[in-house]
Amino acid sequence: MEQRAFPACAAALILGAVSLLGMAPHAYAADANGLARDRPTAESAPRWPAQRAPRTYNPTGTPVSGAPDGARAVSLAPGDYVDRMADKEVKYYAVDVPLGYTVYVSGTTVSTVKGLEALDLKQIDERSTSCRTDTGLSQSVIKVVTASLNWGATATGRNNSCAKPGRQVFSVTRRGTGPPVPLELRIFLEPAVSDTGPAESVIARYTEPGGSPVPVLGGGSFTDAGTLPGSGHFTDDIAFGEWVFYRVRLDWGQSLAVQARVGGGRGYAPTEVRLYNPVREELAREFGSVSDTEHIFAGRPDPFATRPVRYLNRSDRQQEVADMLPGWYYLAVAVQGEGEQRSLAVDVSVGGSKEPGPAYVPDPSMSVATSRSTASPGGVATGGSPAPGSAAQPTGDNRDSAGASAAFGGPAVWLGLPLALLLGAGLATWVIRRRGPEAPRD
């Protein structure tokens, strides 16, 4: 099993108005049969027809067009956006980062053309110097490629232009083959903390969840990932050429251990399984070829696993996974090639106990009553300052139990609420990897 992990990463909160179905390019909500496939849950899965349409990756976000150079970079507020990228194309975007805040930016491309697909995400300063970069790549037949960065606005002088507050520019470069492909961008701002909360802990162990298998229906992308309610055994099926996504929500103090089982059949089925954190940072991956017997990916005693989610996990550069913010953690399974449908099972073990999150420093320009966050993933903080968000805004069957309008009630909620009120009903908000800096931060 190949594990990829990055010690300092954070959540991405997406808040942006998404146009209703059919009103904006690259915004999708239904499959070819007109079924709203973006809201599967364990409870709703039995309603789905046995002969369903193939799951495909449907990019979601507000349409945007990046600039050809940094000087003309289009400014983006925290939110979820969709652009298009040709091979070898470079596009520039900007985001305003207040002093003391940390910004998280992630990009995702999807390609079905044979060959290498790579995505370079780079922060550049006012002198066009590279501050930090991240590269995602894949050579699978069907490729979902992610890259992410985060950096803080901590500089009060001119000694570090990579960490100065205000307008910051980042670029996205696609290196692939074939025609232009959609690019999903997600941007989130996180305020400073006055109390970081409990210390980091150890990697979780897989604990047999027990109970009978529950049928579910996974989604075709991060945005419409099938929601798994917690520990348990969940069953689905997967066709050749599909990517199937599931998500499990973790609160502060909770951990995740998960494995996937793909059933046997005639011929060989090249399969890959990946685990992502709330900012689409790839935490672990495993490749294998399934033949006539069931294959267990990330099986015990070495499942894909995280530590209990804590703010201080980001300070430990020796740990193997980036798990320092609550939100949706994603498991993606892909079967490449051609052949018969295979059975798919996901075993989930959620451990730990919910605990208070860190104390975020209130922004005097916002209306915040107290200092300690009591928010849960996908919900708005109650009786505390907003905590960061990370998950695509759930609606319908994936709605948060509190019926919240944005994940975690984070800064994007403060910045986007007036817009949401203006746009009114029918608009949705969405959310959601990082890599080490190339240049030192203050």
Side-chain angles (χ1 to χ4, degrees):
M1 176 172 65
E2 177 185 358
Q3 296 263 354
R4 293 182 59 199
F6 309 94
C9 96
L13 175 61
I14 301 314
L15 194 134
V18 180
S19 297
L20 293 174
L21 175 62
M23 294 183 63
H26 320 310
Y28 306 88
D31 67 12
N33 295 327
L35 298 174
R37 291 188 43 80
D38 54 346
R39 303 293 174 256
T41 65
E43 293 75 16
S44 66
R47 301 198 307 263
W48 295 93
Q51 299 299 320
R52 54 171 175 75
R55 285 169 284 209
T56 57
Y57 196 106
N58 290 325
T60 305
T62 300
V64 67
S65 182
D69 56 68
R72 290 178 285 175
V74 57
S75 294
L76 302 178
D80 192 7
Y81 303 89
V82 176
D83 204 341
R84 292 189 73 80
M85 297 287 293
D87 180 29
K88 308 297 190 299
E89 187 173 20
V90 183
K91 289 191 174 184
Y92 293 81
Y93 311 85
V95 58
D96 186 73
V97 187
L99 180 63
Y101 278 65
T102 300
V103 64
Y104 306 100
V105 178
S106 69
T108 303
T109 58
V110 181
S111 173
T112 59
V113 178
K114 183 178 180 180
L116 175 70
E117 182 74 20
L119 187 67
D120 300 320
L121 195 61
K122 182 182 297 184
Q123 179 209 2
I124 57 178
D125 67 9
E126 55 193 4
R127 298 185 296 272
S128 297
T129 302
S130 175
C131 296
R132 49 184 57 78
T133 188
D134 182 34
T135 297
L137 54 87
S138 174
Q139 295 194 75
S140 300
V141 177
I142 300 175
K143 296 166 279 291
V144 176
V145 179
T146 64
S148 67
L149 293 174
N150 74 77
W151 68 90
T154 58
T156 55
R158 298 180 177 272
N159 58 328
N160 190 347
S161 59
C162 292
K164 63 178 268 188
R167 177 181 168 89
Q168 288 280 354
V169 175
F170 65 94
S171 67
V172 181
T173 304
R174 181 200 170 206
R175 293 178 287 124
T177 34
V181 299
L183 166 70
E184 287 184 327
L185 288 174
R186 296 178 181 268
I187 299 174
F188 163 65
L189 287 174
E190 179 191 22
V193 297
S194 59
D195 180 359
T196 57
E200 56 269 47
S201 187
V202 297
I203 299 292
R205 287 180 168 273
Y206 179 88
T207 301
E208 172 58 43
S212 300
V214 177
V216 298
L217 186 69
S221 66
F222 289 100
T223 302
D224 63 7
T227 299
L228 306 181
S231 297
H233 300 285
F234 304 97
T235 60
D236 198 351
D237 57 56
I238 185 169
F240 278 68
E242 283 189 324
W243 276 80
V244 183
F245 288 78
Y246 307 92
R247 65 182 189 176
V248 179
R249 199 173 64 189
L250 298 183
D251 207 334
W252 295 110
Q254 292 184 311
S255 61
L256 173 67
V258 61
Q259 62 182 24
R261 294 177 282 125
V262 178
R266 291 177 296 179
Y268 289 89
T271 303
E272 56 184 293
V273 179
R274 302 189 182 195
L275 179 68
Y276 301 87
N277 67 8
V279 290
R280 301 187 182 184
E281 178 184 8
E282 186 181 294
L283 304 183
R285 68 167 77 165
E286 184 176 341
F287 298 88
S289 186
V290 182
S291 56
D292 58 344
T293 59
E294 180 183 77
H295 185 87
I296 302 177
F297 292 85
R300 291 169 287 177
D302 189 23
F304 291 168
T306 74
R307 293 168 288 179
V309 176
R310 289 174 178 165
Y311 182 90
L312 280 177
N313 286 356
R314 70 189 68 195
S315 66
D316 186 349
R317 295 182 177 273
Q318 303 306 313
Q319 288 285 0
E320 293 186 351
V321 292
D323 42 20
M324 73 287 195
L325 280 174
W328 298 111
Y329 284 73
Y330 296 86
L331 185 75
V333 183
V335 176
Q336 311 288 340
E338 299 179 352
E340 63 184 0
Q341 183 172 279
R342 300 294 176 98
S343 65
L344 172 61
V346 178
D347 305 317
V348 177
S349 173
V350 175
S353 300
K354 293 182 181 181
E355 60 190 26
Y360 286 92
V361 177
D363 188 326
S365 66
M366 307 298 174
S367 177
V368 178
T370 57
S371 60
R372 173 69 68 176
S373 167
T374 58
S376 62
V380 173
T382 56
S385 71
S390 59
Q393 167 57 25
T395 58
D397 289 336
N398 279 355
R399 185 179 300 278
D400 178 75
S401 59
S405 61
F408 293 95
V413 176
W414 318 334
L415 296 172
L417 182 57
L419 175 62
L421 292 175
L422 288 173
L423 293 174
L427 297 180
T429 56
W430 304 86
V431 183
I432 304 194
R433 173 187 180 250
R434 177 239 72 85
R435 199 61 69 5
E438 292 182 351
R441 308 186 197 188
D442 278 3

